[in-house]
Amino acid sequence: MRNDEVVTEEHPVDGTAGHGTRASDEELMRALYHEHAGPLFGFVLHLVAGDRQRAEDVVQETLVRAWRNIHRLDPAAGSLRPWLVTVARRIVIDEHRSARARPREVDASALELLPAEDELDRALRMMTVADALGDLSPAHREIIVETYLKGRTANEAAAELDIPAGTVRSRVFYALRSLRLALEERGVTS
């Protein structure tokens, strides 16, 4: 038998022994509530640092446990308040231990601000390509920007850069080869 149980003797769980009728058990619970709920709430409120909702939940759980064990409680043995206080204190301790054993919950709303996986992968690829472009010569970088990033044809790039179209095609070939090597150095394979 535990210390938090006020009983005179063990009774069957079916409630047939002990106090007798269901009506007398209900009267005992009403009396228990009216006599002890207020002071118990004040005690528990102190234990849970003023959290009224949590205190109400603990008092409710304490009274539910009293109801479940009503066939074992003996109101003639004296006040049941020490038993109720012990049960309430143990509920608070169990909740505290349970909260410490479980990882702290975080607000997931910040995750909604992160780009989707596809956007993140694309951003990482673009950063890697931009870094690799920095390794190219200015002429090769310029031709890649004009043809691939700005989407110009060889003739349009030639007109924009004021160089022959054949030179544009030659530079694109060598620039892409240099860019491929720069990306391979960064671990990017095709």
Side-chain angles (χ1 to χ4, degrees):
M1 202 175 329
R2 294 174 33 176
N3 291 341
D4 63 344
E5 296 179 359
V6 175
V7 293
T8 56
E9 59 183 71
E10 293 293 326
H11 297 290
V13 178
D14 65 5
T16 57
H19 303 292
T21 67
R22 183 173 177 87
S24 65
D25 288 349
E26 288 177 7
E27 287 176 26
L28 176 61
M29 278 309 297
R30 275 193 206 96
L32 196 67
Y33 177 82
H34 289 296
E35 184 179 342
H36 300 292
L40 187 60
F41 177 77
F43 172 75
V44 172
L45 189 63
H46 174 72
L47 291 179
V48 295
D51 184 343
R52 296 185 70 79
Q53 180 66 42
R54 191 167 165 217
E56 289 172 3
D57 290 344
V58 170
V59 169
Q60 180 178 351
E61 178 62 25
T62 302
L63 293 173
V64 166
R65 289 184 187 184
W67 175 256
R68 287 184 192 146
N69 292 293
I70 197 160
H71 62 280
R72 298 169 60 190
L73 299 177
D74 185 6
S79 176
L80 295 176
R81 189 171 297 169
W83 181 84
L84 293 169
V85 166
T86 301
V87 170
R89 186 174 59 78
R90 287 188 175 175
I91 291 170
V92 171
I93 290 169
D94 289 346
E95 286 179 357
H96 178 71
R97 287 179 180 158
S98 169
R100 283 191 10 218
R102 195 173 81 208
R104 200 177 100 236
E105 294 178 13
V106 295
D107 183 19
S109 63
L111 296 176
E112 294 173 7
L113 301 176
L114 290 176
E117 187 175 326
D118 293 338
E119 292 176 29
L120 187 59
D121 288 342
R122 182 175 177 268
L124 289 173
R125 281 193 308 272
M126 291 305 294
M127 289 172 55
T128 303
V129 169
D131 187 44
L133 279 172
D135 287 355
L136 301 180
S137 69
H140 286 162
R141 185 173 36 254
E142 181 180 53
I143 206 68
I144 294 292
V145 168
E146 290 298 322
T147 56
Y148 282 90
L149 298 180
K150 291 184 179 177
R152 294 191 170 130
T153 65
N155 290 337
E156 292 170 343
E160 181 67 29
L161 298 174
D162 198 27
I163 56 174
T167 304
V168 168
R169 285 188 275 286
S170 174
R171 283 188 187 168
V172 165
F173 174 80
Y174 289 109
L176 287 175
R177 192 168 74 176
S178 296
L179 184 59
R180 184 178 299 119
L181 289 172
L183 288 171
E184 284 175 359
E185 288 175 359
R186 287 166 177 75
V188 178
T189 57
S190 52

